Amino acid sequence: MNIRFEQSGTKERNLAMELVRVTEAAALSAGRWMGRGDKEKADQAAVDAMRQALDGVDMDGVVVIGEGEKDEAPMLYIGERVGNGSPPQVDVAVDPIDGTRLLSLGLPGALAVVATAERGTMYSAPPGVFYMEKIAVGPAAKDVIDINAPVAVNLERIARAKDAQIDDLTVIILDRPRHQEIIRQIRQAGARIRLISDGDVAAAILAAMEDYRGVDVLMGIGGAPEAVLAAAAIKCLGGAMQCKVWPRSDEEREKFKAEGIDLDQVLTIDDLVHSNDVSFAATGITSGELLDGVQYFGWGARTSSIMMRSRSGTVRYIQARHKWRRGLGASQAQTAR
């Protein structure tokens, strides 16, 4: 991976690093629930820890991508103010656990995720819109994808942009019945497929990373909030993403049309995050391809995180050791920077 040195000011660097401390806190709390089969308690542990950590961050933040509305607390709800109120003013997107089912079953790939961008620049899906059709790639193919083009055409363009053949490519896609047709088309075109059970934020990041060779493109239908979080990361990585609102039924399609939602509109990465000052952080909860999970010891724990900034293009991998302070139940990170 190319190492880049940031030229930005101290305040911006501190905000970006504080986001890592937020995701670390959520991961450390949620990781205790790995494999215990209780998604609700795992979610609550992650949310409580993330909310407390966010309150100490030097920012005036508003949650625009969260778990729900205020009456659904304890989730971090849309419109909630976070941070200590000092500048900068930012939109905040959170997913205390991306892959709650993965965590509850002890499966790989669960993450704690948070992203920020300048106030008013993050896309907020219309009420009732929960899913989007997506395609995401890294920098090499960012100018060639078209979500309206046939699968085979996109794969041919991506292969050409990467100086490869279609059968060299790997497509990552959620293992869902709704994807039967797109899977058939991918196989017919000759590309390889990696099916995942959950966690398409991590999958989109893997598809966009220049220094990761295991995945070339994300395709398929996933959550709308996850699309914005993924877009924030992909913007930092220099890749591209396109999305379209996806109705789950004919009834929902007609409802969206009646509400004036344009189902043909293609949302680009700039539509999803219209800012050039984006920060993204994630910490592994259970070990996966992107990050190692939390490891607990008698003396404390270890975490693995990734931090990105769009302005500089910097990507940092952070291994941290957290030593418990006797009697306080807190942790102190000794972070490798």
Side-chain angles (χ1 to χ4, degrees):
M1 181 179 68
N2 294 329
I3 299 176
R4 304 181 184 179
F5 295 93
E6 298 197 44
Q7 303 296 321
S8 55
T10 301
K11 175 66 73 174
E12 292 170 329
R13 290 200 304 271
N14 287 345
L15 173 59
M17 187 59 71
E18 284 298 318
L19 295 184
V20 174
R21 297 188 177 102
V22 169
T23 56
E24 285 175 345
L28 285 165
S29 292
R32 294 292 191 185
W33 294 92
M34 185 181 77
R36 295 172 66 179
D38 195 327
K39 295 192 292 185
E40 289 74 20
K41 287 185 178 178
D43 243 338
Q44 182 163 355
V47 169
D48 290 346
M50 182 171 278
R51 176 178 281 122
Q52 183 176 0
L54 281 168
D55 285 344
V57 177
D58 286 334
M59 67 178 182
D60 179 4
V62 176
V63 176
V64 297
I65 301 296
E67 296 287 342
E69 303 299 336
K70 185 173 183 178
D71 59 0
E72 296 176 2
M75 300 304 179
L76 281 151
Y77 58 85
I78 296 168
E80 181 171 351
R81 303 300 290 262
V82 293
N84 62 14
S86 62
Q89 292 186 332
V90 293
D91 286 345
V92 182
V94 301
D95 196 344
I97 305 176
D98 176 47
T100 309
R101 193 182 73 89
L102 298 176
L103 174 61
S104 69
L105 296 177
L107 296 173
L111 303 174
V113 181
V114 64
T116 63
E118 295 165 287
R119 179 70 56 81
T121 60
M122 279 187 172
Y123 176 83
S124 182
V129 172
F130 298 108
Y131 287 90
M132 287 185 174
E133 182 182 355
K134 309 173 187 179
I135 183 170
V137 294
K142 69 177 184 178
D143 296 323
V144 303
I145 59 171
D146 179 358
I147 198 168
N148 288 322
V151 168
V153 171
N154 271 310
L155 291 175
E156 181 180 354
R157 291 173 179 175
I158 293 166
R160 189 182 305 119
K162 302 187 80 166
D163 194 23
Q165 302 296 318
I166 290 180
D167 59 6
D168 296 323
L169 302 181
T170 299
V171 181
I172 194 165
I173 186 169
L174 285 167
D175 187 6
R176 299 287 189 272
R178 62 178 178 259
H179 289 147
Q180 288 181 358
E181 175 58 23
I182 190 172
I183 288 172
R184 185 194 67 78
Q185 292 182 42
I186 294 168
R187 288 171 174 163
Q188 187 175 46
R192 303 188 303 166
I193 294 174
R194 179 174 300 179
L195 293 174
I196 56 172
S197 62
D198 295 277
D200 66 343
V201 174
I205 294 171
L206 291 174
M209 297 187 82
E210 290 180 285
D211 55 338
Y212 180 77
R213 302 302 181 211
V215 176
D216 298 284
V217 54
L218 167 81
M219 289 183 172
I221 296 150
E226 288 82 358
V228 179
L229 279 160
I234 293 170
K235 192 148 202 178
C236 296
L237 293 167
M241 186 175 193
Q242 294 180 7
C243 299
K244 293 172 67 175
V245 171
W246 186 78
R248 293 171 291 181
S249 63
D250 290 339
E251 181 181 4
E252 194 167 81
R253 179 182 298 275
E254 294 306 314
K255 176 177 177 290
F256 287 166
K257 287 181 178 179
E259 292 172 351
I261 297 173
D262 185 357
L263 301 180
D264 295 321
Q265 181 185 10
V266 176
L267 298 168
T268 67
I269 197 164
D270 286 327
D271 294 317
L272 296 168
V273 185
H274 186 61
S275 171
N276 291 320
D277 191 5
V278 181
S279 295
F280 177 93
T283 299
I285 306 175
T286 60
S287 293
E289 288 185 77
L290 182 62
L291 294 167
D292 290 334
V294 180
Q295 301 174 25
Y296 297 99
F297 306 92
W299 50 262
R302 289 194 180 101
T303 57
S304 175
S305 303
I306 188 170
M307 185 194 80
M308 314 180 200
R309 294 197 65 239
S310 65
R311 179 172 289 181
S312 61
T314 301
V315 177
R316 286 189 174 96
Y317 291 91
I318 299 170
Q319 303 294 322
R321 184 177 66 178
H322 308 262
K323 299 190 74 172
W324 309 139
R325 288 181 176 179
R326 185 171 298 175
L328 295 181
S331 65
Q332 182 178 17
Q334 299 175 358
T335 305
R337 303 189 183 188

